Each structure stands twice: as structure tokens, then as C-alpha cells.
Amino acid sequence: MAAVTLSVSTVKPLGDRVFVKVSESEQQTAGGILLPDTAKEKPQVGEVVQVGPGKRNDDGSHSPIEVKVGDKVLYSKYAGTDIKLGSDEYVLLTEKDILAIVA
């Protein structure tokens, strides 16, 4: 079986899916207490790095996705598929799992 090398530029989401680079989780609390890896929560904010063409309508056309590459988004906590490329973490989400664009 041949090995496949993936990178961000080779991943193109299909349909209404969005490829998001996960932001780093908090290293310490607001009070300054350092958090061990086991106590850190899964981040819910990331930057959009690739978007699909949009959801296909009944007539065959695509509904455009509301987010674009470079947007910072807030997404559901347990949504999507976690993917690790090199040392970076990504998540592949559907558009409905994105809750908001963060300014």
C-alpha cells in the first residue's frame, strides 16, 4: 500500500465542509495557574484554511458557504473530524457546525 502525504494545500473539502486550523488551547487560567495537558479543554476557535464549493441544491447548483479563507470561527465543541498534519491540528467541519465568525 502506498503512503499518502497530506498538506493543507492538497486538502480540498467537498460540499459544505470547511477545513479549520485549531487555535492553541489556553496554557494557564485567568488567575495564572498553569494547566497540565490532561486538564486542557478542546479549543473551539480556529482559522478557516480551505472551504468547499457549498451545499448542492435540488437543481444541481451550489449554495455558497458564508465563511471564507482567513476567517476566525467559533465551532461546536464535539463537531467535526480531528486531523493532524505535521505538528498542526485541524478539524474538518460542516458549515452547520460553525456557530459564529469571531472578529
Side-chain angles (χ1 to χ4, degrees):
M1 182 148 83
V4 177
T5 304
L6 294 177
S7 69
V8 176
S9 60
T10 61
V11 175
K12 180 67 177 167
L14 300 175
D16 65 339
R17 289 181 177 75
V18 179
F19 199 55
V20 175
K21 181 176 182 183
V22 177
S23 296
E24 293 293 319
S25 59
E26 293 295 323
Q27 301 294 327
Q28 63 184 15
T29 65
I33 298 172
L34 294 176
L35 295 171
D37 290 338
T38 56
K40 292 179 186 174
E41 290 189 21
K42 181 179 175 186
Q44 292 176 263
V45 177
E47 181 180 348
V48 176
V49 292
Q50 292 281 353
V51 295
K55 188 172 184 173
R56 188 174 297 274
N57 297 324
D58 291 336
D59 64 357
S61 64
H62 288 280
S63 297
I65 294 181
E66 294 184 41
V67 296
K68 61 186 180 305
V69 173
D71 285 347
K72 286 206 182 275
V73 294
L74 174 69
Y75 54 90
S76 299
K77 190 170 202 165
Y78 299 107
T81 302
D82 296 329
I83 300 170
K84 189 167 186 170
L85 299 177
S87 62
D88 295 327
E89 292 184 18
Y90 298 88
V91 63
L92 187 61
L93 303 164
T94 59
E95 184 181 22
K96 69 179 181 177
D97 292 329
I98 296 175
L99 304 174
I101 298 174
V102 180

